[in-house]
Amino acid sequence: MNMITNHPPTAELQALDAAHHMHPFTDADALAKNGVRIITRAKGVTLTDSDGAQILDAMAGLWCVNIGYGWDSMADVAARQMKELPFYNTFFQTSTVPAIALAQKIAELAPGDLNHVFYASGGSDANDTNVRLVRHYWAAKGKPTKKVIISRQNAYHGSTMAGASLGGMTAMHAQGGLPIADIVHIGQPNWYDEGGELSPEEFGLLRARELEAKIEELGEDAIAAFIAEPIQGAGGVIIPPSTYWPEIQRICDAHEILLIADEVICGFGRTGQMFGSQTYDIRPDIMTIAKGLSSGYAPIGASIVCDEVANTVAHAGDFNHGYTYSGHPVSCAVALENLRILEDEKMVENVASVTGPYLKEKWEQLADHPLVGEAKIQGFMASVAMTPDKAARAPFAAPKGSVGLIARGHCFGNNLIMRHVGDRMIISPPLILNRSDVDTLMDRAVKALDLTLAEIKANGLYA
Ligand SMILES: *Cc1c(COP(=O)(O)O)cnc(C)c1O
């Protein structure tokens, strides 16, 4: 087998990791006790760990490796750019060829008049840019009172102070004194958990109209923007009812507020079109992008900004904001090559009309599994909600996430990476997943669900 064998033994690596490496979103004591899993290489859709296990990565890393692992040309482009110009800044009336070329390419791909790119290093800091940009925009329009940004409960917009504040994760707000000022949250279009007796369509309208109610409550002259993911990703792949986005768009059109689509996950093919906004007919004024922009091969994010906002800000003097790595030439070159591959290999079209429909057919059959209350999918992002009582869509008696954690363990045990969010299991596989990969994924997913069901029957959680 073609493996790197010159690394220390797994146990030694685990001990060193526990001693020196602080992990994001992790209970460090629990991790140290269980031992971290060490990924050593990857090719296509398959990871290899330090013990040689071959794991199907149905999460595309962290929603990002859209083109899959192991493209030599990505490495070649990075190496060439590093040799030619590893870094130069974009602050002081300077630019670089990759930063220019990528901005042009992004403007070409983005819908409508989203023609202007402000670079960041990832999605969180791109959303920080958005907070400052929209407030600066309204101030430049002579409306400095328009500062409030409306977001949604259980949204994910990153982990910086502004990103986590925009997000609607209560566990994140509880640490570090969040949200920051002038960010408010309305309900999410999560029919399964919160829709009660309403139909999904009724519930979608109800939740969309919370935006209108919030605008009326605070006054239009206080509000800068509404931000939302086309499909909530980290919130559990919450696919909104069909009525939700048309109503949100109507409300945004009827009021003087900006619409920010956080496309960090949905962008670059995940929903079956280049952007989630195209899948849902959303016309955003600003888009946040990251993840699939480089397929995770190099860190990069950006805000794509419409003509009106960019031009207004352009005429308003210095925008006192930027990152050292805004427009990093290596990341930009890598992102450009990523987009070339995405287009040349017709990956988005493939998700839309070949592998996407095949995965959908299989995934929706999971709804018949005794443990599954709902199985939803759009393009290449999908979720199942686990329940002890399908009809009532009831939660388990154990604390939320206990069964999800058990299921994730069985996925790991069967060489499948699926993530759990609470007691939902979610996937977001590389867009290159082929039919036979889909079959493997589904076999392992069903096996993991079966094992989970057996375990919770044995311990009394499935009455
Ligand atoms: C991952 C994510 C972010 C944050 O991006 P980072 O690159 O981790 O900073 C923001 N928004 C959404 C929708 C995301 O999924």
Side-chain angles (χ1 to χ4, degrees):
M1 207 189 312
N2 182 18
M3 277 176 47
I4 291 180
T5 49
N6 62 342
H7 60 69
T10 300
E12 196 177 312
L13 288 169
Q14 287 172 328
L16 289 169
D17 191 86
H20 302 298
H21 181 190
M22 297 175 77
H23 287 254
F25 289 97
T26 295
D27 174 339
D29 279 350
L31 180 65
K33 208 161 81 209
N34 296 333
V36 74
R37 192 159 188 169
I38 297 148
I39 306 302
T40 51
R41 58 198 298 133
K43 180 87 187 161
V45 300
T46 307
L47 309 170
T48 302
D49 75 8
S50 55
D51 295 328
Q54 304 271 306
I55 309 152
L56 175 60
D57 182 12
M59 279 305 298
L62 205 45
W63 318 87
C64 54
V65 189
N66 287 14
I67 63 167
Y69 299 92
W71 288 88
D72 284 341
S73 66
M74 294 286 279
D76 296 342
V77 159
R80 201 185 315 141
Q81 185 60 46
M82 275 199 192
K83 288 178 190 171
E84 199 163 297
L85 181 70
F87 178 77
Y88 202 72
N89 77 71
T90 54
F91 284 24
F92 304 128
Q93 311 202 340
T94 49
S95 195
T96 66
V97 176
I100 296 166
L102 180 62
Q104 179 198 22
K105 183 68 198 173
I106 290 170
E108 177 199 315
L109 292 176
D113 67 350
L114 293 166
N115 289 321
H116 311 268
V117 176
F118 193 105
Y119 289 115
S121 311
S124 304
D125 48 340
N127 277 328
D128 279 52
T129 296
N130 293 339
V131 171
R132 300 197 57 202
L133 182 67
V134 298
R135 290 176 179 168
H136 179 49
Y137 165 77
W138 287 118
K141 298 282 277 185
K143 297 182 176 176
T145 59
K146 287 172 77 66
K147 283 201 288 215
V148 173
I149 299 169
I150 302 173
S151 181
R152 306 180 301 177
Q153 291 153 11
N154 196 37
Y156 188 78
H157 297 297
S159 197
T160 53
M161 291 294 281
S165 296
L166 290 171
M169 303 289 180
T170 47
M172 292 177 74
H173 291 174
Q175 296 171 343
L178 303 180
I180 56 172
D182 292 326
I183 292 175
V184 300
H185 299 83
I186 58 174
Q188 57 167 333
N190 179 349
W191 173 79
Y192 179 86
D193 286 324
E194 301 176 2
E197 297 296 311
L198 296 176
S199 73
E201 291 72 26
E202 290 168 332
F203 181 72
L205 281 181
L206 193 80
R207 279 292 152 93
R209 287 176 187 156
E210 286 187 20
L211 176 59
E212 196 148 52
K214 186 57 84 177
I215 294 170
E216 272 154 26
E217 177 196 329
L218 301 177
E220 203 165 298
D221 56 3
I223 297 166
F226 172 63
I227 184 169
E229 304 151 83
I231 295 171
Q232 288 151 266
V237 183
I238 309 298
I239 297 175
S242 61
T243 48
Y244 181 76
W245 273 113
E247 184 68 0
I248 289 283
Q249 186 65 58
R250 181 195 68 73
I251 293 165
C252 289
D253 289 344
H255 296 88
E256 192 186 49
I257 67 169
L258 297 173
L259 173 55
I260 307 169
D262 187 335
E263 294 263 6
V264 170
I265 287 174
C266 293
F268 304 104
R270 176 114 342 255
T271 67
Q273 300 214 40
M274 190 56 79
F275 295 99
S277 292
Q278 294 162 321
T279 297
Y280 289 105
D281 268 324
I282 308 167
R283 292 185 306 279
D285 301 291
I286 297 173
M287 268 186 193
T288 321
I289 54 172
K291 296 192 171 116
L293 172 59
S294 66
S295 286
Y297 281 65
I300 185 169
S303 306
I304 326 180
V305 182
C306 69
D307 288 343
E308 157 66 16
V309 171
N311 293 336
T312 301
V313 166
H315 300 142
D318 279 359
F319 179 32
N320 297 311
H321 174 73
Y323 309 106
T324 299
Y325 298 139
S326 288
H328 193 285
V330 177
S331 294
C332 288
V334 165
L336 262 176
E337 176 62 8
N338 172 64
L339 297 178
R340 184 197 68 72
I341 293 169
L342 197 71
E343 288 195 306
D344 284 3
E345 302 289 326
K346 302 211 179 320
M347 290 185 189
V348 185
E349 294 88 330
N350 212 33
V351 167
S353 53
V354 185
T355 46
Y358 186 65
L359 177 61
K360 181 178 163 78
E361 184 197 321
K362 303 264 163 177
W363 189 264
E364 287 177 344
Q365 288 167 12
L366 290 177
D368 298 331
H369 193 279
L371 191 52
V372 172
E374 174 187 74
K376 297 267 276 174
I377 178 163
Q378 173 64 49
F380 259 23
M381 58 196 298
S383 61
V384 294
M386 296 185 292
T387 175
D389 180 348
K390 281 170 180 277
R393 312 199 298 269
F396 293 98
K400 194 173 165 199
S402 314
V403 177
L405 203 59
I406 292 170
R408 190 186 68 175
H410 287 301
C411 289
F412 256 141
N414 284 285
N415 289 330
L416 173 66
I417 305 263
M418 268 212 283
R419 176 168 163 188
H420 83 107
V421 173
D423 296 315
R424 300 174 80 87
M425 301 306 296
I426 62 179
I427 58 165
S428 166
L431 307 187
I432 56 162
L433 198 77
N434 64 27
R435 278 167 170 261
S436 118
D437 299 326
V438 170
D439 293 340
T440 306
L441 190 165
M442 294 308 307
D443 285 350
R444 293 180 188 176
V446 169
K447 188 159 178 212
L449 288 171
D450 289 346
L451 289 168
T452 303
L453 181 61
E455 182 170 339
I456 64 176
K457 272 182 172 165
N459 71 14
L461 280 176
Y462 190 87

